[in-house]
Amino acid sequence: MSAQRKLRLGMVGGGEGAYIGNIHRNAARLDNAWDLVAGAFDVDPEKGRAFALSEGIVDDRAYSDYKALIAGESTRKDRVDAVAICTPNFTHYPIAKALIEAGFDVICEKPMTATLEDAVTLEKQVRESGRFVGVTYTYSGYPMVHEARVRIANGEIGKVRTAQVEYPLEWMATGIENKGNAQAAWRTDPQKNGRGGSIGDIGTHAYHLAGFVTGLKLESLTADLATFVDGRALDDNAHVMMRYEGGARGLLWSSQVALGNSNGLKLRVYGEHGSLSWFQEQPNELIHAPLDGHTQIIKRGAEGLCEAAQVRTRTPPGHPEGYLEAFANLYTGFAEAIHAQKQDRSPQAIAQHIPTAYDGLKGVAFVEAVVDSSEAVDQPWITPVAV
Ligand code: NAI
């Protein structure tokens, strides 16, 4: 990528003790594309300001809340170029809406909003405003995920028949939301999380990954949600059957209660003459099984990989890259997309195939459809005769 000035980043949420904010900060720094210069990092204004100062942010850019951030930054010559939203789901919409109205670009966590209505309104606002909004569908930052996408688009496994995707986690296998776990507390509150529990939190990643790699467009779905932890208000396990346009089928499982799975995201795509498999815990490898039985492990960094994989690779094969690098690929892609937009030119490869507001909308629409399907009274459950 040619030299560009560093973009100025602001952040809302992601303060002391928060999970994803620190990942964003590390990702933004990795390729020197961003400087974190402003923030409203916490729902508690004083804690947020103290955290900003501890991050080296100057006093007058350590804001008490996002409204103060917008007011303060709007009048500065060196105002932030974009603001990352790292707060619980229900706050994404009002914060993103206000930022776009004030003329800022946005990097928004998934799910883009907590309701479909907000997602539809926000995506329209983004289109009409011309602002850039990137949505952090993390797994589309991995080089070998791009390699799989390009190979499928080039017909390497033939017409896709099925996409099997699963995203099991174990951390919510007991009622930790009632024992002081802040992350679990808002994730199990429908007002703060939205209607989809595991499906909104991680199923949305799995749905995006399967669609991104296969290029398939979802036609319809049927779903079965379950809540295994007593007293929990939202699903903690979801099974979804999908029909894609053109006849391909999909099967998606998301779970927050699957003991033994730290972060078990797995995608397997089966075509007419081969399959490709990618497992998030071994992200440097892609498994290709062609019809002739000569299964091959394709390694990140190897010669001959597609340009989209190469531009997302920093180290040679054998020196593993992972989650932070994938997240950094998104951040560097977002930076390049913003530069290209400012300079009215086409974006370079790192900013192509990056997740934006339309992906955010599709993700929320998927979650809504899953919950609607599971709640539908006429869902066809048939008991076999021999039972
Ligand atoms: P968290 O509970 O660890 O952190 C939330 C932070 O937001 C806290 O610092 C809290 O004080 C702050 N906050 C809440 N309301 C605020 C407001 N109105 N203004 C300013 N700050 C506010 O949550 P976590 O796990 O970091 O999740 C945050 C978001 O990131 C969620 O939307 C979640 O779905 C998403 N996420 C995405 C991941 C990915 O792979 N892309 C992984 C984990 C979370």
Side-chain angles (χ1 to χ4, degrees), residues 13-19 25 41-42 47-48 50-51 54 183:
E16 185 71 42
Y19 171 59
R25 287 188 288 277
F41 290 96
D42 204 288
K47 275 177 69 183
F51 183 78
S54 76
Q183 278 85 14

PDB file of all heavy atoms in Angstrom, residues 13-19 25 41-42 47-48 50-51 54 183:
ATOM      1  N   GLY A  13     -16.916   3.372  23.992  1.00  0.00           N
ATOM      2  CA  GLY A  13     -16.905   2.069  24.658  1.00  0.00           C
ATOM      3  C   GLY A  13     -15.490   1.511  24.663  1.00  0.00           C
ATOM      4  O   GLY A  13     -14.530   2.185  24.249  1.00  0.00           O
ATOM      5  N   GLY A  14     -15.389   0.273  25.155  1.00  0.00           N
ATOM      6  CA  GLY A  14     -14.071  -0.383  25.137  1.00  0.00           C
ATOM      7  C   GLY A  14     -13.146   0.084  26.245  1.00  0.00           C
ATOM      8  O   GLY A  14     -11.917   0.005  26.110  1.00  0.00           O
ATOM      9  N   GLY A  15     -13.697   0.546  27.349  1.00  0.00           N
ATOM     10  CA  GLY A  15     -12.876   1.045  28.461  1.00  0.00           C
ATOM     11  C   GLY A  15     -12.314  -0.059  29.343  1.00  0.00           C
ATOM     12  O   GLY A  15     -12.281  -1.242  28.957  1.00  0.00           O
ATOM     13  N   GLU A  16     -11.893   0.343  30.530  1.00  0.00           N
ATOM     14  CA  GLU A  16     -11.275  -0.581  31.495  1.00  0.00           C
ATOM     15  C   GLU A  16     -12.152  -1.824  31.694  1.00  0.00           C
ATOM     16  O   GLU A  16     -13.345  -1.699  31.986  1.00  0.00           O
ATOM     17  CB  GLU A  16     -11.118   0.175  32.836  1.00  0.00           C
ATOM     18  CG  GLU A  16     -10.381  -0.576  33.920  1.00  0.00           C
ATOM     19  CD  GLU A  16      -8.892  -0.685  33.601  1.00  0.00           C
ATOM     20  OE1 GLU A  16      -8.318   0.322  33.140  1.00  0.00           O
ATOM     21  OE2 GLU A  16      -8.349  -1.781  33.814  1.00  0.00           O
ATOM     22  N   GLY A  17     -11.570  -2.986  31.511  1.00  0.00           N
ATOM     23  CA  GLY A  17     -12.301  -4.239  31.773  1.00  0.00           C
ATOM     24  C   GLY A  17     -13.195  -4.694  30.643  1.00  0.00           C
ATOM     25  O   GLY A  17     -13.769  -5.779  30.705  1.00  0.00           O
ATOM     26  N   ALA A  18     -13.329  -3.898  29.602  1.00  0.00           N
ATOM     27  CA  ALA A  18     -14.168  -4.299  28.463  1.00  0.00           C
ATOM     28  C   ALA A  18     -13.387  -5.274  27.591  1.00  0.00           C
ATOM     29  O   ALA A  18     -12.157  -5.313  27.629  1.00  0.00           O
ATOM     30  CB  ALA A  18     -14.577  -3.085  27.645  1.00  0.00           C
ATOM     31  N   TYR A  19     -14.104  -6.055  26.792  1.00  0.00           N
ATOM     32  CA  TYR A  19     -13.416  -7.053  25.979  1.00  0.00           C
ATOM     33  C   TYR A  19     -12.898  -6.493  24.645  1.00  0.00           C
ATOM     34  O   TYR A  19     -11.700  -6.400  24.408  1.00  0.00           O
ATOM     35  CB  TYR A  19     -14.315  -8.279  25.727  1.00  0.00           C
ATOM     36  CG  TYR A  19     -13.670  -9.193  24.716  1.00  0.00           C
ATOM     37  CD1 TYR A  19     -12.410  -9.727  24.967  1.00  0.00           C
ATOM     38  CD2 TYR A  19     -14.264  -9.456  23.491  1.00  0.00           C
ATOM     39  CE1 TYR A  19     -11.752 -10.502  24.026  1.00  0.00           C
ATOM     40  CE2 TYR A  19     -13.617 -10.236  22.547  1.00  0.00           C
ATOM     41  CZ  TYR A  19     -12.368 -10.750  22.817  1.00  0.00           C
ATOM     42  OH  TYR A  19     -11.716 -11.501  21.881  1.00  0.00           O
ATOM     43  N   ARG A  25      -8.033  -1.565  19.553  1.00  0.00           N
ATOM     44  CA  ARG A  25      -6.865  -0.670  19.684  1.00  0.00           C
ATOM     45  C   ARG A  25      -5.603  -1.347  19.139  1.00  0.00           C
ATOM     46  O   ARG A  25      -4.824  -0.741  18.408  1.00  0.00           O
ATOM     47  CB  ARG A  25      -6.685  -0.236  21.147  1.00  0.00           C
ATOM     48  CG  ARG A  25      -7.742   0.774  21.601  1.00  0.00           C
ATOM     49  CD  ARG A  25      -7.445   1.348  22.974  1.00  0.00           C
ATOM     50  NE  ARG A  25      -7.666   0.384  24.047  1.00  0.00           N
ATOM     51  CZ  ARG A  25      -8.855   0.122  24.616  1.00  0.00           C
ATOM     52  NH1 ARG A  25      -9.946   0.760  24.215  1.00  0.00           N
ATOM     53  NH2 ARG A  25      -8.975  -0.760  25.583  1.00  0.00           N
ATOM     54  N   PHE A  41     -14.934   6.274  26.571  1.00  0.00           N
ATOM     55  CA  PHE A  41     -14.678   4.841  26.643  1.00  0.00           C
ATOM     56  C   PHE A  41     -15.590   4.048  27.566  1.00  0.00           C
ATOM     57  O   PHE A  41     -15.530   2.838  27.561  1.00  0.00           O
ATOM     58  CB  PHE A  41     -13.228   4.609  27.100  1.00  0.00           C
ATOM     59  CG  PHE A  41     -12.205   5.000  26.077  1.00  0.00           C
ATOM     60  CD1 PHE A  41     -11.606   6.244  26.119  1.00  0.00           C
ATOM     61  CD2 PHE A  41     -11.840   4.126  25.065  1.00  0.00           C
ATOM     62  CE1 PHE A  41     -10.655   6.602  25.176  1.00  0.00           C
ATOM     63  CE2 PHE A  41     -10.895   4.475  24.113  1.00  0.00           C
ATOM     64  CZ  PHE A  41     -10.308   5.730  24.168  1.00  0.00           C
ATOM     65  N   ASP A  42     -16.392   4.742  28.368  1.00  0.00           N
ATOM     66  CA  ASP A  42     -17.122   3.996  29.380  1.00  0.00           C
ATOM     67  C   ASP A  42     -18.504   4.613  29.585  1.00  0.00           C
ATOM     68  O   ASP A  42     -18.690   5.818  29.411  1.00  0.00           O
ATOM     69  CB  ASP A  42     -16.343   4.025  30.706  1.00  0.00           C
ATOM     70  CG  ASP A  42     -16.691   2.853  31.608  1.00  0.00           C
ATOM     71  OD1 ASP A  42     -17.810   2.839  32.165  1.00  0.00           O
ATOM     72  OD2 ASP A  42     -15.835   1.943  31.742  1.00  0.00           O
ATOM     73  N   LYS A  47     -15.002   7.253  34.749  1.00  0.00           N
ATOM     74  CA  LYS A  47     -14.149   6.103  34.420  1.00  0.00           C
ATOM     75  C   LYS A  47     -13.657   6.196  32.977  1.00  0.00           C
ATOM     76  O   LYS A  47     -12.504   5.887  32.665  1.00  0.00           O
ATOM     77  CB  LYS A  47     -14.936   4.797  34.603  1.00  0.00           C
ATOM     78  CG  LYS A  47     -14.919   4.277  36.043  1.00  0.00           C
ATOM     79  CD  LYS A  47     -15.754   3.028  36.195  1.00  0.00           C
ATOM     80  CE  LYS A  47     -15.164   1.812  35.492  1.00  0.00           C
ATOM     81  NZ  LYS A  47     -16.028   0.633  35.597  1.00  0.00           N
ATOM     82  N   GLY A  48     -14.535   6.667  32.116  1.00  0.00           N
ATOM     83  CA  GLY A  48     -14.179   6.795  30.699  1.00  0.00           C
ATOM     84  C   GLY A  48     -13.071   7.815  30.497  1.00  0.00           C
ATOM     85  O   GLY A  48     -12.120   7.578  29.743  1.00  0.00           O
ATOM     86  N   ALA A  50     -10.897   8.853  32.774  1.00  0.00           N
ATOM     87  CA  ALA A  50      -9.661   8.348  33.405  1.00  0.00           C
ATOM     88  C   ALA A  50      -8.987   7.326  32.490  1.00  0.00           C
ATOM     89  O   ALA A  50      -7.760   7.326  32.320  1.00  0.00           O
ATOM     90  CB  ALA A  50      -9.989   7.725  34.760  1.00  0.00           C
ATOM     91  N   PHE A  51      -9.788   6.481  31.871  1.00  0.00           N
ATOM     92  CA  PHE A  51      -9.215   5.475  30.972  1.00  0.00           C
ATOM     93  C   PHE A  51      -8.555   6.144  29.768  1.00  0.00           C
ATOM     94  O   PHE A  51      -7.450   5.765  29.352  1.00  0.00           O
ATOM     95  CB  PHE A  51     -10.294   4.492  30.502  1.00  0.00           C
ATOM     96  CG  PHE A  51      -9.745   3.404  29.631  1.00  0.00           C
ATOM     97  CD1 PHE A  51      -9.078   2.326  30.191  1.00  0.00           C
ATOM     98  CD2 PHE A  51      -9.850   3.471  28.246  1.00  0.00           C
ATOM     99  CE1 PHE A  51      -8.529   1.329  29.393  1.00  0.00           C
ATOM    100  CE2 PHE A  51      -9.313   2.488  27.439  1.00  0.00           C
ATOM    101  CZ  PHE A  51      -8.654   1.411  28.014  1.00  0.00           C
ATOM    102  N   SER A  54      -5.262   7.429  30.668  1.00  0.00           N
ATOM    103  CA  SER A  54      -4.299   6.334  30.847  1.00  0.00           C
ATOM    104  C   SER A  54      -3.833   5.785  29.494  1.00  0.00           C
ATOM    105  O   SER A  54      -2.785   5.160  29.396  1.00  0.00           O
ATOM    106  CB  SER A  54      -4.897   5.205  31.694  1.00  0.00           C
ATOM    107  OG  SER A  54      -5.807   4.442  30.906  1.00  0.00           O
ATOM    108  N   GLN A 183     -20.043  -8.953  30.737  1.00  0.00           N
ATOM    109  CA  GLN A 183     -20.261  -9.277  29.320  1.00  0.00           C
ATOM    110  C   GLN A 183     -21.488 -10.173  29.143  1.00  0.00           C
ATOM    111  O   GLN A 183     -22.280  -9.993  28.222  1.00  0.00           O
ATOM    112  CB  GLN A 183     -19.034  -9.984  28.731  1.00  0.00           C
ATOM    113  CG  GLN A 183     -17.919  -9.054  28.303  1.00  0.00           C
ATOM    114  CD  GLN A 183     -16.986  -8.673  29.439  1.00  0.00           C
ATOM    115  OE1 GLN A 183     -17.022  -9.301  30.494  1.00  0.00           O
ATOM    116  NE2 GLN A 183     -16.170  -7.651  29.232  1.00  0.00           N
TER     117      GLN A 183
END
